[in-house]
Amino acid sequence: GPQSGTFSATATGLQTNTTYYFAAPASNSAGIAWAAPSKSFTTPVPSPPVVTNLPATGITTTNAMLNGQVLSTGGEMPAVTIYYGTNDGGLNAAAWSNSISLGINAGTFSASASGLTANTTYYYTAFATNSAGTAWVAPSQSFTTPAANPSATRVPVLTYHYDNTRQGQNTNETLLTPA
C-alpha cells in the first residue's frame, strides 16, 4: 500500500550459506522506479547445536519426565532425541536401551519415559543434530524411581455451604491430596 520513508520486509524459507539479492520498486501516477544498485546479503553457515540436560521431574515408580534444553540451534533447527536406560550409554546411541525422538526442537523439551521399574536408577541424556553436526550432552543425568508411590493423605477441611439444602459449617468433610 501507499508508504513513505523507510520500510522493511521479512524473507522466509531461505537456504543457509546462500547469497540473496534484492531491490525495491516505487510507483506513483508518473510510473515505476527501481532502487539502484540492488543490495545483497548472505545467510550464515549453520553450526552444530548446543543442548543440555535438565533435571527429571514427575518421577514415580513407573514413569518420569525427562527434560532438556536446546541452548543454541546453530542457526538451523535441530532434531532432538533423548536416550535413557539403566546403564549410562555415554555418547554411543547403540549403548542406550531406550530412545525417544522428539523431532525438530528449540528451547526446552520434555519426554515421558514409561514402563520404568521401581527402586531403580536410570540415566538419560539428550542428543541434537542439524546439517552442521551433532551434539551429545555429557555427563548424562540420573534419577532413581521410588520403591513405592506416595499414598494419598486425608486432610480435614472446613467448608461453608450456603444453598437451599445445607447451611453453615460442615466439619465432616475431608480433602484428598493428589498423589
Side-chain angles (χ1 to χ4, degrees):
Q3 188 170 336
S4 63
T6 61
F7 62 92
S8 65
T10 300
T12 60
L14 305 179
Q15 299 296 314
T16 59
N17 196 27
T18 303
T19 301
Y20 291 90
Y21 298 88
F22 65 96
S27 66
N28 62 18
S29 60
I32 298 175
W34 283 87
S38 63
K39 299 290 183 181
S40 68
F41 65 92
T42 301
T43 55
V45 175
S47 59
V50 178
V51 64
T52 190
N53 293 323
L54 297 176
T57 55
I59 301 166
T60 67
T61 56
T62 59
N63 297 293
M65 191 64 76
L66 310 180
N67 304 301
Q69 182 176 7
V70 174
L71 300 174
S72 170
T73 64
E76 181 180 273
M77 298 285 280
V80 174
T81 302
I82 293 181
Y83 290 91
Y84 70 99
T86 54
N87 294 309
D88 188 340
L91 308 180
N92 180 357
W96 290 94
S97 56
N98 303 285
S99 66
I100 303 170
S101 177
L102 301 175
I104 302 299
N105 265 282
T108 58
F109 53 85
S110 298
S112 178
S114 59
L116 306 179
T117 303
N119 201 28
T120 303
T121 299
Y122 285 87
Y123 301 88
Y124 68 97
T125 195
F127 170 82
T129 183
N130 64 16
S131 66
T134 62
W136 282 94
V137 179
S140 60
Q141 291 262 355
S142 67
F143 64 93
T144 301
T145 55
N149 286 328
S151 59
T153 305
R154 294 177 69 90
V155 178
V157 294
L158 178 61
T159 60
Y160 289 88
H161 299 278
Y162 295 103
D163 58 22
N164 292 336
T165 60
R166 298 174 7 192
Q167 298 276 327
Q169 295 182 1
N170 180 356
T171 58
N172 296 321
E173 288 189 15
T174 58
L175 176 70
L176 293 177
T177 58

